[in-house]
Amino acid sequence: MSLIFTRRAIMLGAGAMLTGCDRIARNDMVRDALFNAENFHKWAQRTLMARDALAREFSPDHISPIFRSNGTNNPNTAEYKALWRSGFVDWRLEVTGLVDRPLSLSLAQLRGLPHREQITRHDCVEGWSAIGKWRGVPLKLLLDAARMKDRARYIVFHCADTMGDGHPYYESIDLVDAFHPQSILAFALNDQPLRVANGAPLRLRVERQLGYKHAKYLMKIEAVDNLAGIGSGKGGYWEDRAGYDWYAGI
Amino acid sequence: MPPGQTPTVPSVVIRHTWPVRAWHWFNAVLLYILLTSGLGIFNAHPRLYWGQYGANFDSAWLELERFGPLLTLPARYDLAMSRHWHLTAAPLFAFGLLAYMLWSLVSGHISRDLAFRRGELEARHVWQDIRNHARLRFPTGTAALRYNVLQKASYIAIIFIVLPVIILTGLTMSPGMNAAWPWLLDLFGGRQSARSIHFIAAFALVAFFLIHILMVVLAGPINELRSMITGRYRVPEDRP
């Protein structure tokens, strides 16, 4: 019997097993188990790390020569284009939801607040990483200024970009990450104002999670007590559309 | 034992204890899921780098075509599903290894079956074992009940080096674990190095698997397979 024939048989066998796996994954119990691994990882990581444990910060010589962008490179909506043309002077960040004092902040006001600067690594769920120097306002500062209510459990980030299917991008994090010292709303990358491809005028940095959590083109921040009413209820655009994990620490 | 007489070997023995057999098949299933879902994840960005960062504009030391649908889980590209499979199987596999290591230590499996014996590591003995493998002369009688030196070396390398490395490099790719255990980044020289080592270790396991299967086939697949399922192993008779 020829080797090629055996190899073919093995490949077909492997293929059949994989089709079997795909079929098993359609079983509700298996599906639940597969989608619940996220909860284990969240629990394990939160148990192993201090609440404010920092993501690695690098020295300037580790910065990627080119910081690649992913997802939307330009929202290209009429509304966004108008904001961009005027240098974002008419853009406002709304801080709403479960807060006692809603805010509406211009870019100039945000730049006037205390900053944090951090050289961190951006990890895409696809596998690549890029290191950049971010400057922005700690999210905690805004949530405190807006007097977030005790009922709030999550912070939702509403974005200007609609993905291919016309649904706006959004993301959400819980309060552990929202009040983390490295969670900032960044308006500068590598000492330059944020470029459109990287989320101008303002994007989230949530350094202990993967790239899709770092919402770009921020328009509104909303404090909520649950995620059910937003989008399809899974807490983010890719979570709703593609079944990505809401907790993206791994 | 009177001089000149060889010890009698029963014709059928229990070769593998139940924890070894259980762990073996548990691993077979999980490693299959981990490899195929891992290739599915790799397909999202089939380039590998050394160092802390690495993306499309940086130079890759390895760039591959996407692995085909016969090799990935799921068959059709679906990064989210591949990750669900991989991240479900990974902790089961890691805790399985930990339990096995503890059991091996406590039960004496390591000192009894895996540790090298006096003289086994002498060049002459190792060379003899290599020659025996090359000539496909498999041990018989009592010798067949012990692992030979090459076997021990590969099991030790897999259990105590390759498997821990693949688990730790997997954790090094996690931004959450980087915050929890920052030493991981220093141990492997960065997230992208860890991703490369994870991939290399996976293919070291594939190589181990292929040689393992070849050895089982050559040594008598029915007898070997049965000894890993029921434990019962028919001892090959001494050559005349």
Side-chain angles (χ1 to χ4, degrees):
Chain A
M1 190 165 71
S2 72
L3 252 178
I4 296 173
F5 203 75
T6 321
R7 220 187 89 156
R8 232 184 104 119
I10 291 171
M11 294 282 277
L12 283 176
M17 269 163 84
L18 284 167
T19 319
C21 279
D22 286 351
R23 206 164 296 147
I24 291 168
R26 263 176 248 142
N27 175 291
D28 283 344
M29 258 171 64
V30 176
R31 225 180 143 73
D32 279 355
L34 290 177
F35 279 75
N36 274 325
E38 169 189 4
N39 296 327
F40 165 77
H41 288 288
K42 180 177 166 220
W43 168 81
Q45 295 197 351
R46 291 273 170 90
T47 305
L48 289 173
M49 71 169 115
R51 196 181 168 100
D52 281 351
L54 296 183
R56 171 68 55 94
E57 295 195 16
F58 297 88
S59 58
D61 54 313
H62 278 115
I63 291 175
S64 297
I66 299 176
F67 194 99
R68 79 161 276 197
S69 65
N70 204 25
T72 306
N73 285 319
N74 188 335
N76 256 328
T77 61
E79 190 194 7
Y80 183 82
K81 273 192 265 191
L83 290 170
W84 173 76
R85 254 186 237 109
S86 57
F88 297 106
V89 288
D90 300 322
W91 172 89
R92 292 289 180 278
L93 177 74
E94 309 290 331
V95 182
T96 63
L98 297 175
V99 294
D100 284 332
R101 201 176 68 175
L103 307 176
S104 176
L105 299 162
S106 71
L107 202 51
Q109 282 174 306
L110 284 166
R111 286 205 176 108
L113 292 171
H115 299 159
R116 190 179 199 281
E117 211 168 66
Q118 57 204 35
I119 301 176
T120 52
R121 199 189 61 225
H122 182 87
D123 297 329
C124 181
V125 63
E126 293 168 358
W128 52 270
S129 311
I131 295 179
K133 177 183 182 183
W134 302 96
R135 187 160 72 238
V137 181
L139 179 55
K140 175 184 190 303
L141 216 75
L142 298 190
L143 297 176
D144 287 343
R147 296 206 196 105
M148 191 184 77
K149 292 183 199 286
D150 287 345
R151 263 183 321 123
R153 288 291 170 271
Y154 301 96
I155 307 298
V156 182
F157 301 86
H158 298 275
C159 307
D161 56 325
T162 55
M163 301 296 282
D165 54 8
H167 289 86
Y169 199 88
Y170 79 99
E171 259 304 340
S172 61
I173 56 177
D174 64 12
L175 300 186
V176 172
D177 276 317
F179 285 86
H180 185 262
Q182 286 172 322
S183 293
I184 60 171
L185 304 176
F187 47 74
L189 168 59
N190 296 336
D191 298 320
Q192 301 291 322
L194 211 50
R195 293 185 309 131
V196 170
N198 298 119
L202 194 72
R203 78 175 297 171
L204 172 66
R205 299 298 309 165
V206 48
E207 304 289 359
R208 298 184 298 186
Q209 297 205 44
L210 295 174
Y212 62 87
K213 301 297 288 187
H214 301 223
K216 304 198 281 191
Y217 316 110
L218 293 179
M219 299 298 285
K220 188 169 85 172
I221 296 177
E222 186 184 6
V224 297
D225 57 2
N226 73 82
L227 298 169
I230 300 146
S232 304
K234 299 219 173 80
Y237 177 85
W238 288 114
E239 290 88 327
D240 285 344
R241 297 275 157 249
Y244 279 28
D245 288 327
W246 176 81
Y247 180 73
I250 187 158
Chain B
M1 181 169 58
Q5 211 175 316
T6 49
T8 47
V9 180
S11 57
V12 173
V13 296
I14 295 296
R15 174 99 197 260
H16 301 294
T17 54
W18 73 264
V20 172
R21 286 180 269 143
W23 189 60
H24 174 273
W25 294 111
F26 181 71
N27 279 347
V29 173
L30 289 177
L31 283 172
Y32 176 75
I33 290 173
L34 285 164
L35 175 70
T36 52
S37 60
L39 294 179
I41 295 170
F42 179 83
N43 276 353
H45 189 76
R47 292 161 57 88
L48 293 172
Y49 314 86
W50 294 115
Q52 303 286 348
Y53 63 82
N56 303 54
F57 301 106
D58 306 305
S59 67
W61 68 268
L62 185 69
E63 183 163 7
L64 297 177
E65 296 293 311
R66 285 185 166 191
F67 290 100
L70 287 178
L71 297 174
T72 63
L73 175 64
R76 275 184 42 183
Y77 176 74
D78 182 342
L79 178 56
M81 256 343 261
S82 291
R83 280 171 51 82
H84 288 313
W85 279 108
H86 205 77
L87 299 180
T88 302
L92 294 172
F93 175 73
F95 285 110
L97 176 67
L98 191 66
Y100 183 76
M101 281 175 160
L102 290 175
W103 170 82
S104 298
L105 202 66
V106 172
S107 72
H109 178 52
I110 292 180
S111 55
R112 192 178 56 239
D113 302 318
L114 291 176
F116 294 113
R117 304 214 174 275
R118 186 190 293 269
E120 260 186 340
L121 287 176
E122 273 169 30
R124 215 173 31 169
H125 181 90
V126 174
W127 178 238
Q128 185 58 44
D129 204 38
I130 291 172
R131 282 169 48 136
N132 286 344
H133 273 85
R135 287 184 293 170
L136 305 179
R137 274 176 71 93
F138 291 99
T140 55
T142 38
L145 297 179
R146 295 190 299 267
Y147 294 144
N148 59 62
V149 66
L150 291 188
Q151 223 175 346
K152 283 183 183 177
S154 37
Y155 293 163
I156 290 170
I158 292 291
I159 295 172
F160 296 100
I161 299 171
V162 179
L163 296 184
V165 160
I166 211 164
I167 291 164
L168 291 176
T169 48
L171 289 175
T172 310
M173 285 186 265
S174 145
M177 286 309 296
N178 282 187
W181 291 352
W183 51 268
L184 284 171
L185 282 173
D186 303 315
L187 183 62
F188 296 109
R191 181 180 195 248
Q192 290 301 323
S193 291
R195 185 166 176 263
S196 291
I197 297 168
H198 194 72
F199 186 87
I200 292 167
F203 277 83
L205 282 180
V206 171
F208 171 82
F209 169 76
L210 293 176
I211 295 170
H212 174 62
I213 295 297
L214 181 71
M215 288 297 140
V216 166
V217 169
L218 292 174
I222 307 278
N223 197 27
E224 293 289 332
L225 206 54
R226 187 184 51 206
S227 77
M228 199 41 92
I229 296 171
T230 66
R232 289 163 64 82
Y233 178 74
R234 189 181 44 73
V235 182
E237 279 174 28
D238 275 321
R239 288 184 208 89

